[in-house]
Amino acid sequence: MSRVSSGLPGEPDADPAAAAVEAGGVAEGRLRRALDAAHMGTWEWDVATGSLNWAGHLEEIHGMAPGTFDGRFETYAACIHPDDRERVLAEIGGALERGGDFHTEFRVTYPDGGGVHWVAGEGRAYRDADGRPERMVGVGWDITAAKRVEEELRAQRELLRAITDNADSALAMLDTRGCVTFVNPAFTRITGYAAEEVHGRPLHDALRCPPVERPSYGGREPLRGHEDVFVRRDGSPFPVVCAVAPLEQGGAAVGCVLEFRDVTREKEAEAALHARAEREALVNRIGEAVRSLTDPEAVLAAAVRELGRVMGADRCYFAEYDVPRDWARVGADWHRPDLRSISGTYRTSTLDVDAREMFGGPGGLLRADDLEASAPVFSPRAADTLRALGLRAILGVALFENGLPVAALVAAMADAPRAWTPAEVELVRAAATLVRSAMEDARVRKREHDIAERLQAALQPSIAADVPGLEVDACYQPALSEASIRGDFYDVFALDERRHALVVADLSGKGLAAAAQVATLRHMLRTLLYLRGATLDGAITSLDRLIGAHNLLQGFATVFVGTYDAERRTLTYVNAGQEPGLLRRAASGAVEELWPTGPVLAGFPGAPPYEERTLTLEPGDVLALFTDGLTEAGPSRARMLGVPGVSGIFRESASDPAATSSQIAARMMGGVEGRATPGGIRDDVCLLVARVPEHSHPENSHPAR
């Protein structure tokens, strides 16, 4: 046996065979460790004998317990999923016939609910000298995790394709030069360009828009909501809303994705909606100017003034006709401050023209964009009359009854022509109808307001000069700014020698009907409290049932009723849906809120009974009862004071221990007005303030104001 020298002096020559065995063992150990680390296994199949040798993790990979594989090829084949078995055996057979390498992947079903796993195999087939299959060797490993990732990626690709193919928005993928690499079907539908017409082409060149890589599109964060104008293949421009998101790979920019949608219809709808909203807003402004007035002449003045301002007209008139040929009375006129004022009354001698001749256009329309340059739709005599008034352009609408004009609203320009738009025509038409209706309403409201105000003033009681154990004062402020008398009222009256009733109520409705119902509710409530004595909850329950049984209210009422016992210093109350009473404790300065203890008074069948509650008052304590005119005050309808706002004002107003009930009520009203500007108090306000004097005995009570 030959030996290999080590080349070192004094060392005996090494045995080459032993060295080879040792080297082989080292290599085998390294291979075993590598297979173990990779969770793989090796196999060798002796074709002639059918013996199949597995090593490493093959048993585990195929779902077998260690040491249970019997080395038979048939056992291995049985491990393969039935749906994959025929294919895999065919692949193995093909590799044996041709020799060389092969690769296969198949599923294995693990026993005991272990699920399905994927296995990959790599091998090589060897043949003998006569070309017959001799053996196969290879490796196997579990690829279940990789298959799951592959399936997820495939599903994501399919989902992405479905999204892009069915998206309403156009999508374009661009490289770093801004050239198109992908477009979806919506891109073709919106722009008219087929995919092959834009692939490799700069997008801004095709759509005639600024380059996508411009600075406004830059940055790593997606850009959303950018508006632009693109051009279709046929040359027609269209508005778009864009979004751009960058594409990165390995931390480096590789392009971006541009998404855009055609917003032509949205823009058209937005413009139409804006025009309509603008017209409605102008009409509403005119309406707000006239609805709050009770004087018909003031209604006219406010209407023409507001119309002239919102239209930017030099002059604006409203006329009512008594006979067809006469502008018998111009109710109001408005003109720019720098223009000469004109007379407010026109007679036949001044306007010697038939009103039907003046308003001869369709729908009673009087229109001339330029009285000096074009023939008007009305008669030459009418045009001469208008020129004589110093008018250059005019737009008016007449209102007819029984074929005759009864009123007209006119806007005019004095020194320059004006192309009146269809929107302005509709505005004047709507305003004319509104003003005419508002005038009639104002006349009715004024008449009803005067009656209701006198009636309600008569119904408001005078507070007794001596309320045992309390200082009491009340404040009533009708909502005259809205020309509406409502059903708010207060009442203070004696039940016996030591008990007084304190009432604040609010009836739904307004005007004469509400004022009349105040008397009904007030007298019924007094009668029931007189009869029931101390049973406050029973009295209110009976009142509610009587209202329902005899249909005594056209709507509902909210009521806070309290009885104060001066001897015990106790307040017993029922709150039937009214704003919470506020009680400021002198000792702590805290404000307690006395919320409803039952529903509103409406006579609803099956309504629950009312609950009475009792509180003990201490010297210096202050009670405030009020209607929702205070809580609904505020700068705007969206920013009302509410209970917290009124509670804060009450706390400040009652903080001075020397303040009388009259002073506290005045401070509350002033505080509400101050914090509610510019909206102010819009509704009736009924406020009742009661204060327990520092030495509260009946003989020490202060006279109410």
Side-chain angles (χ1 to χ4, degrees):
M1 180 180 296
S2 62
R3 298 172 66 87
V4 178
S5 173
S6 67
L8 295 176
E11 287 289 332
D13 291 339
D15 185 350
V21 171
E22 182 179 354
V26 172
E28 183 179 353
R30 290 175 178 170
L31 176 60
R32 187 166 49 252
R33 288 193 294 273
L35 292 174
D36 188 60
H39 206 73
M40 300 174 68
T42 61
W43 53 269
E44 182 175 358
W45 180 32
D46 188 326
V47 178
T49 64
S51 173
L52 181 59
N53 182 36
W54 280 2
H57 295 273
L58 282 186
E59 287 179 317
E60 179 184 349
I61 291 170
H62 286 78
M64 298 181 183
T68 60
F69 180 56
D70 58 9
R72 297 171 60 246
F73 183 83
E74 291 77 5
T75 303
Y76 158 72
C79 294
I80 303 173
H81 194 282
D83 293 343
D84 297 339
R85 189 176 299 143
E86 183 177 351
R87 172 183 57 81
V88 174
L89 294 180
E91 290 173 352
I92 294 174
L96 288 173
E97 290 181 6
R98 68 175 182 273
D101 298 336
F102 85 102
H103 173 82
T104 187
E105 294 178 359
F106 55 88
R107 288 167 291 175
V108 173
T109 302
Y110 279 20
D112 300 328
V116 176
H117 286 242
W118 278 89
V119 177
E122 294 277 0
R124 174 172 295 179
Y126 294 93
R127 305 170 69 84
D128 60 17
D130 297 328
R132 292 189 299 269
E134 183 179 25
R135 63 191 178 96
M136 294 183 71
V137 295
V139 295
W141 65 96
D142 190 323
I143 59 170
T144 303
K147 279 292 184 179
R148 287 174 181 166
V149 172
E150 181 182 320
E151 181 64 22
E152 290 175 1
L153 292 175
R154 184 192 63 78
Q156 290 176 3
R157 285 194 297 269
E158 291 179 356
L159 177 61
L160 180 60
R161 173 62 66 180
I163 292 173
T164 57
D165 287 352
N166 295 284
D168 292 330
S169 298
L171 296 171
M173 187 177 295
L174 313 178
D175 60 20
T176 54
R177 300 171 300 161
C179 294
V180 177
T181 59
F182 166 82
V183 296
N184 70 334
F187 181 95
T188 298
R189 184 178 68 252
I190 294 174
T191 67
Y193 284 104
E196 57 271 16
E197 292 180 290
V198 293
H199 276 178
R201 181 178 175 185
L203 185 69
H204 64 273
D205 178 52
L207 300 182
R208 305 181 207 176
C209 63
V212 174
E213 62 265 65
R214 62 186 174 174
S216 63
Y217 284 138
R220 297 171 60 89
E221 294 297 324
L223 173 68
R224 304 185 186 281
H226 176 79
E227 294 188 5
D228 213 326
V229 177
F230 292 170
V231 180
R232 295 185 178 90
R233 192 176 186 274
D234 62 8
S236 59
F238 62 102
V240 297
V241 173
C242 306
V244 179
L247 290 177
E248 294 184 354
Q249 186 174 355
V254 295
C256 65
V257 175
L258 170 68
E259 179 266 340
F260 64 88
R261 58 188 178 89
D262 184 349
V263 293
T264 301
R265 291 185 178 180
E266 287 95 326
K267 289 291 184 182
E268 292 172 349
E270 182 181 336
L273 185 62
H274 177 73
R276 178 180 176 183
E278 190 175 52
R279 182 171 67 251
E280 291 180 352
L282 296 181
V283 172
N284 288 338
R285 286 174 59 185
I286 296 173
E288 289 174 2
V290 302
R291 276 193 293 269
S292 62
L293 302 173
T294 56
D295 183 2
E297 297 298 326
V299 168
L300 290 178
V304 296
R305 180 177 63 250
E306 196 63 30
L307 181 65
R309 286 175 178 172
V310 299
M311 291 192 66
D314 290 340
R315 291 173 178 164
C316 187
Y317 317 112
F318 184 86
E320 288 186 306
Y321 300 103
D322 291 334
V323 295
R325 292 178 53 83
D326 186 14
W327 283 31
R329 180 175 64 84
V330 175
D333 65 85
W334 176 88
H335 58 90
R336 286 203 330 243
D338 58 337
L339 292 176
R340 177 178 57 85
S341 178
I342 61 175
S343 171
T345 302
Y346 295 91
R347 294 292 179 185
T348 304
S349 58
T350 304
L351 273 179
D352 190 14
V353 61
D354 194 316
R356 290 169 294 183
E357 184 180 342
M358 182 76 74
F359 292 92
L365 184 65
L366 170 69
R367 175 177 176 172
D369 294 348
D370 190 348
L371 285 168
E372 296 181 5
S374 60
V377 297
F378 39 87
S379 70
R381 184 172 54 156
D384 292 340
T385 302
L386 295 172
R387 291 190 194 99
L389 293 174
L391 303 180
R392 181 74 179 270
I394 190 167
L395 175 63
V397 173
L399 302 177
F400 289 79
E401 289 181 5
N402 300 321
L404 296 176
V406 294
L409 185 60
V410 179
M413 305 301 294
D415 302 323
R418 178 160 174 174
W420 305 103
T421 67
E424 289 172 330
V425 173
E426 291 303 314
L427 173 61
V428 174
R429 193 182 304 279
T433 303
L434 175 66
V435 172
R436 175 72 173 173
S437 175
M439 279 188 58
E440 295 300 323
D441 289 346
R443 293 186 179 115
V444 174
R445 287 201 308 270
K446 188 175 189 304
R447 185 166 55 250
E448 182 179 308
H449 181 276
D450 292 341
I451 297 172
E453 189 175 23
R454 288 194 294 271
L455 176 59
Q456 195 169 45
L459 291 173
Q460 293 297 342
S462 58
I463 300 177
D466 188 12
V467 178
L470 286 178
E471 284 183 0
V472 182
D473 203 345
C475 174
Y476 177 76
Q477 177 178 312
L480 296 179
S481 60
E482 293 188 2
S484 59
I485 296 294
R486 300 181 186 271
D488 296 24
F489 75 92
Y490 65 87
D491 201 2
V492 179
F493 56 94
L495 294 175
D496 51 40
E497 294 181 355
R498 59 185 176 83
R499 292 186 308 125
H500 269 68
L502 308 174
V503 179
V504 168
D506 185 359
L507 281 74
S508 62
K510 60 182 179 180
L512 191 58
Q517 288 190 105
V518 167
T520 300
L521 186 65
R522 175 171 173 253
H523 292 305
M524 287 185 63
L525 181 58
R526 278 197 173 204
T527 300
L528 288 169
L529 289 177
Y530 289 146
L531 295 175
R532 287 281 179 171
T535 313
L536 183 58
D537 53 353
I540 303 304
T541 299
S542 296
L543 177 60
D544 182 63
R545 291 172 180 170
L546 285 171
I547 288 172
H550 301 285
N551 196 24
L552 298 177
L553 291 183
Q554 296 177 0
F556 62 90
T558 59
V559 184
F560 188 106
V561 183
T563 59
Y564 182 69
D565 187 323
E567 182 178 310
R568 296 182 175 87
R569 280 207 308 258
T570 57
L571 174 72
T572 301
Y573 71 92
V574 170
N575 186 341
Q578 182 61 277
E579 299 293 273
L582 300 178
L583 176 62
R584 185 186 185 278
R585 295 295 190 177
S588 63
V591 174
E592 300 175 12
E593 298 175 353
L594 313 183
W595 287 93
T597 62
V600 300
L601 294 175
F604 294 132
Y610 295 84
E611 176 187 351
E612 68 175 41
R613 295 176 184 172
T614 300
L615 299 171
T616 299
L617 305 189
E618 301 297 337
D621 288 354
V622 182
L623 174 69
L625 309 178
F626 51 89
T627 56
D628 59 9
L630 286 187
T631 54
E632 293 180 1
S636 67
R637 291 289 185 186
R639 297 171 55 204
M640 296 187 294
L641 289 176
V643 174
V646 175
S647 179
I649 294 172
F650 171 61
R651 182 184 293 105
E652 295 175 8
S653 302
S655 60
D656 182 2
T660 65
S661 58
S662 177
Q663 292 171 332
I664 294 171
R667 290 171 184 173
M668 284 188 68
M669 295 299 297
V672 169
E673 287 283 7
R675 298 188 191 179
T677 54
I681 297 176
R682 306 176 184 86
D683 198 355
D684 284 5
V685 171
C686 189
L687 171 64
L688 187 66
V689 176
R691 177 179 177 272
V692 181
E694 295 298 333
H695 303 288
S696 58
H697 284 285
E699 62 271 23
N700 294 328
S701 62
H702 295 201
R705 298 171 185 249

